[in-house]
Amino acid sequence: MTLKRLFARDLSFDGIRSEFALPAEFDSGAQSEAAQAVDRHHAERIDRTDLELVTIDPPGARDLDQALHLERTATGYLLYYAIADVAAQIEPGSALDAEARRRGETIYLPDGSVPLHPLVFSEGSASLLPNEIRPAALWRIETDDNANPVSWSVQRALVRSVQQLTYREAQDAADAGNPHPSIAVLPEFGRKRRDLGLSRGAIELNLPEQDVVRGASGDWELVIEARTEIDGWNAQVSLLTGICAAQIMLDGGIGMLRTLPPADGDVRRWMRRTADALGLPWSSDTPIGAQLAALDPCATTTLAMMTQATTLLRGASYLVFDGTRPNDQAALHAGIAAPYAHVTAPLRRLGDRFVTEVCLALCAGTEVPQWAREGLAEARSSLLRSNTLANKVEQACVDLTEATILAPQKGQTFDSAVLRGAEKKRAAEVFVTDPPILARCEGNPPEGQRAKLMLHEADPGTRTVLFGFPAEGS
């Protein structure tokens, strides 16, 4: 469900590309290697083209990392999850390998992406496009009736996706009682996995999507849209696979985990103040994850609450280990409330290629290839750099769009909720109801209350939006 559409004309993101020095093209060596990539492990693969796998992705996506088949068994569920086998098609030490290590991950802008790999590879020969036979790392995960995993493994296979679905198509089919057979039980499985996570203390941020897209008229639109349930259920499949991958590596004594320390008390108190300011119920006796999960996904206040809740997930990092198993606290991802690894998006994220190779070797009982073992530390460093860059670019695109949209409304009054009052050199932070955005505010608006604010500044050149309190005449 679309919550809001806002329009902006004459919007260009070229300045952001230049400001952050985003690479434009791949050099000829990497491009040539991508176009000629071959499967070095073809002889080792089992043929599982019999599996009716489907992909679920945003509209227009072609860099398809994952395809799934989920079925009910007499004792629970059986999941097959095919992940594009990128490592098998990139020669270690090649120009393509070196360029991917420099880039770290795909960076997305409204007018196109800065991909990790050349499109001929990531949207072509390596992508799990429908009706194409592709090399994959095929996960097989069995669970009990409550969706707790009881066995898991991964091996190289040939697979074929039989259908590419968008989230909306999959959701509409599920709502109509006519889902694709391969994901017919995904709703019940996804709900059970979600409940298990919440019972562990996991924090699920069902953050409404805030995307900048080009509309039918050619104008840019800032679209704020509630996520579909199928989006969350599909994410649970990826989370489960990452949890299983982490356990394989912990047992094997080598790998790379995605980690996150628990949020401190100040962050939790701020969440309570934010809920009060937005008029949302909040209880100190209920886990934060459960309270966030209960929010109405179609309410604009959910955008504010979920955005503020991202502070609970600050401090995420990667932990590389080889030979010594890390202790439980160091290995924990507090947002998932379990050890976890990124392993399901190798076309878009560098580290997944290395983690997948480690898991394949450990499951096969063979030595981890030297390139993968030695490359873990470099992959970690590259990911930490690219994570920071991607976040800055994404925020810059949203800030530019918001400033462009609001520029003609300078001097007008807006209703808001004051999430955080002014402190020393820091302006107050407010949530403006319409249009639904988070912004800074001069003056001293009353924290935790609603207030009328005047738009003082909306400058696309500096990507700045600034409100003032009190509003003139209020």
Side-chain angles (χ1 to χ4, degrees):
M1 177 184 296
T2 300
L3 305 179
K4 193 77 177 177
R5 284 187 182 272
L6 306 167
F7 300 90
R9 296 180 184 275
D10 303 323
L11 191 56
S12 171
F13 300 94
D14 291 343
I16 293 174
R17 291 174 179 271
S18 298
E19 177 183 340
F20 292 99
L22 300 182
E25 303 294 336
F26 289 86
D27 63 38
S28 59
Q31 189 71 40
S32 175
E33 290 172 3
Q36 300 174 39
V38 296
D39 177 13
R40 302 193 315 277
H41 296 278
H42 181 78
E44 305 168 24
R45 297 190 186 277
I46 60 170
D47 186 341
R48 291 310 315 264
T49 54
D50 59 303
L51 283 173
E52 292 200 347
L53 298 161
V54 301
T55 61
I56 310 175
D57 290 278
R62 289 186 58 82
D63 51 346
L64 310 184
D65 295 282
Q66 315 124 4
L68 73 148
H69 176 95
L70 181 65
E71 61 187 66
R72 250 313 197 157
T73 68
T75 56
Y77 300 90
L78 176 59
L79 168 67
Y80 287 101
Y81 204 34
I83 307 300
D85 193 351
V86 173
Q89 301 171 77
I90 294 181
E91 191 70 37
S94 65
L96 180 57
D97 178 32
E99 183 61 26
R101 292 180 190 229
R102 280 192 291 271
R103 295 190 176 213
E105 65 185 274
T106 296
I107 296 178
Y108 294 93
L109 293 89
D111 59 352
S113 66
V114 181
L116 176 61
H117 308 101
L119 299 186
V120 67
F121 182 80
S122 61
E123 297 188 358
S125 60
S127 177
L128 303 183
L129 296 167
N131 302 313
E132 299 287 348
I133 296 176
R134 291 289 191 256
L138 183 62
W139 287 85
R140 184 184 187 278
I141 302 174
E142 289 186 82
T143 78
D144 62 20
D145 191 57
N146 294 318
N148 282 301
V150 295
S151 69
W152 50 87
S153 62
V154 60
Q155 65 181 133
R156 288 194 154 100
L158 289 175
V159 301
R160 176 169 45 202
S161 166
V162 297
Q163 189 167 354
Q164 179 179 355
L165 299 170
T166 66
Y167 289 112
R168 177 47 56 192
E169 288 170 343
Q171 186 68 58
D172 288 347
D175 293 344
N178 187 34
H180 191 283
S182 295
I183 54 172
V185 296
L186 181 58
E188 64 181 69
F189 181 82
R191 290 189 186 104
K192 289 180 178 180
R193 286 299 308 167
R194 181 178 183 238
D195 290 345
L196 285 171
L198 293 176
S199 68
R200 293 195 310 267
I203 298 172
E204 177 182 327
L205 297 187
N206 188 22
L207 187 65
E209 293 189 85
Q210 189 176 24
D211 292 327
V212 182
V213 300
R214 193 182 290 278
S217 65
D219 292 338
W220 289 101
E221 303 178 2
L222 179 60
V223 179
I224 300 170
E225 191 167 19
R227 293 184 184 270
T228 62
E229 288 185 294
I230 205 83
D231 193 325
W233 302 331
N234 191 49
Q236 289 297 333
V237 172
S238 184
L239 288 172
L240 171 60
T241 307
I243 289 171
C244 292
Q247 195 59 55
I248 289 171
M249 291 185 291
L250 286 169
D251 290 344
I254 178 174
M256 180 167 66
L257 304 180
R258 184 62 163 165
T259 60
L260 179 73
D264 61 28
D266 287 342
V267 172
R268 292 174 178 273
R269 284 190 291 274
W270 185 29
M271 289 299 300
R272 175 60 181 263
R273 292 199 302 269
T274 299
D276 291 342
L278 295 170
L280 296 173
W282 200 258
S283 169
S284 58
D285 298 328
T286 304
I288 287 179
Q291 295 190 80
L292 292 172
L295 295 177
D296 180 0
C298 296
T300 55
T301 50
T302 298
L303 173 63
M305 196 67 190
M306 290 293 185
T307 300
Q308 299 292 29
T310 59
T311 58
L312 297 167
L313 306 182
R314 286 179 182 168
S317 188
Y318 291 92
L319 173 67
V320 171
F321 58 99
D322 189 353
T324 303
R325 177 179 173 134
N327 62 52
D328 291 346
Q329 183 175 357
L332 180 69
H333 189 293
I336 297 169
Y340 170 70
H342 278 159
V343 71
T344 62
L347 290 174
R348 293 167 284 168
R349 195 168 48 212
L350 175 68
D352 299 44
R353 167 160 52 114
F354 292 82
V355 170
T356 295
E357 194 68 25
V358 171
C359 289
L360 283 165
L362 292 175
C363 284
T366 60
E367 286 293 321
V368 174
Q370 199 65 20
W371 68 263
R373 182 184 294 272
E374 294 178 349
L376 286 171
E378 183 183 351
R380 176 186 183 274
S381 297
S382 179
L383 284 166
L384 291 175
R385 289 195 308 270
S386 63
N387 285 175
T388 300
L389 177 61
N391 290 335
K392 289 180 177 179
V393 169
E394 180 182 8
Q395 189 60 56
C397 290
V398 173
D399 289 346
L400 173 61
T401 306
E402 291 179 343
T404 304
I405 288 168
L406 287 170
Q409 303 179 63
K410 287 174 66 175
Q412 295 186 21
T413 299
F414 295 79
D415 186 42
S416 76
V418 183
L419 304 181
R420 177 181 284 188
E423 296 180 11
K424 296 182 180 180
K425 297 181 180 181
R426 188 185 63 200
E429 185 169 309
V430 297
F431 172 65
V432 178
T433 307
D434 187 12
I437 63 170
L438 293 164
R440 295 181 304 118
C441 180
E442 294 180 315
N444 192 22
E447 183 176 289
Q449 297 183 32
R450 303 201 70 83
K452 295 289 186 182
L453 308 176
M454 177 177 287
L455 179 59
H456 282 184
E457 184 179 350
D459 184 354
T462 59
R463 303 193 295 268
T464 301
V465 172
L466 182 65
F467 289 86
F469 176 85
E472 197 171 287
S474 64

